[in-house]
Amino acid sequence: MGTDEPRIEASRLAAAVRQYEVERFYFDEAAILDEHRYEDWLRLFSDDTHYFMPLRRTVSQRDKHREFTATDEVAYFNDTKHLLEMRVAKLLTGRSWSEDPPSRTRHLITNIRVLSDDGSEMEVASNFHLYRTRLKSEEDSWIGSRRDLLRRSGDSFLIARRHIFLEQTVILSRNLSNFF
């Protein structure tokens, strides 16, 4: 290699590969959800997963620590893998009024950042926009961020924890039958 050619440090190259793998995992997950492949989606979660979406409150600056409800308070979702499996089973019966006919969704995932990585698990932050349309005229849009704990599993990952933080303080949709 000539002296004018840039050298890429091994750690930077490894970080770029890791970033690519994490982004690919999230993009594949979004496609699975948009294709209604819910059983495949469930396989992306560890058996000990925690899927949590707290309520958001409008609070003053001094009460910012109370903006989101805690895991032991009321939440939109506070699910184990078993509860996620039950929700998917209900959808697959074809008798879930909130999803018959099924919604059309588009999951957009962006700003994916690996915050920490200990070699077996990594903390990952991302932003999302979930667009849903139902029936002839129902449209819903949710925007927010997620904090995930990804656990390495073979050549991919399992979601060991997903915390979902909506920007909205009031949800105007008729139901929350979709997954984030």
Side-chain angles (χ1 to χ4, degrees):
M1 186 183 296
T3 57
D4 293 340
E5 294 181 34
R7 288 185 173 215
I8 299 175
E9 295 176 28
S11 63
R12 290 180 61 198
L13 186 57
V17 169
R18 178 188 64 197
Q19 181 72 25
Y20 169 79
E21 291 171 341
V22 170
E23 288 178 3
R24 181 64 187 257
F25 177 79
Y26 282 133
F27 299 154
D28 288 346
E29 178 197 12
I32 286 168
L33 284 170
D34 291 337
E35 294 165 5
H36 305 281
R37 294 172 30 218
Y38 301 122
E39 290 172 318
D40 292 339
W41 181 71
L42 283 172
R43 286 192 274 283
L44 301 178
F45 288 85
S46 66
D47 289 338
D48 62 340
T49 198
H50 184 227
Y51 186 87
F52 178 67
M53 184 164 68
L55 275 63
R56 184 176 206 153
R57 302 177 276 224
T58 301
V59 297
S60 65
Q61 188 65 34
R62 72 177 173 276
D63 291 327
K64 199 77 166 148
H65 64 282
R66 295 185 53 246
E67 184 174 16
F68 293 100
T69 56
T71 56
D72 62 344
E73 297 178 314
V74 67
Y76 293 114
F77 302 116
N78 198 355
D79 296 350
T80 62
K81 184 165 186 179
H82 179 69
L83 287 171
L84 289 174
E85 290 168 340
M86 289 178 15
R87 290 178 58 203
V88 165
K90 181 181 177 186
L91 284 176
L92 296 178
T93 65
R95 290 177 280 175
S96 177
W97 69 267
S98 63
E99 284 299 318
D100 189 24
S103 297
R104 292 167 299 279
T105 62
R106 192 61 53 206
H107 289 75
L108 305 175
I109 309 301
T110 186
N111 296 53
I112 300 167
R113 296 176 296 125
V114 176
L115 303 176
S116 67
D117 183 356
D118 70 6
S120 62
E121 293 183 334
M122 63 181 78
E123 183 92 19
V124 180
S126 62
N127 294 338
F128 67 86
H129 182 179
L130 171 52
Y131 171 81
R132 175 179 74 172
T133 181
R134 287 194 74 243
L135 306 172
K136 292 181 181 179
S137 61
E138 287 183 34
E139 281 187 85
D140 297 300
S141 187
W142 297 275
I143 296 173
S145 63
R146 301 184 309 197
R147 271 292 179 95
D148 291 347
L149 181 67
L150 297 184
R151 188 172 294 147
R152 294 186 193 285
S153 176
D155 61 352
S156 189
F157 306 101
L158 291 174
I159 302 166
R161 182 184 68 228
R162 171 160 290 165
H163 288 194
I164 304 149
F165 303 96
L166 290 178
E167 292 303 315
Q168 295 96 319
T169 55
V170 176
I171 295 180
L172 301 176
S173 63
R174 295 179 187 195
N175 63 56
L176 261 179
S177 58
N178 47 281
F179 299 104
F180 293 84

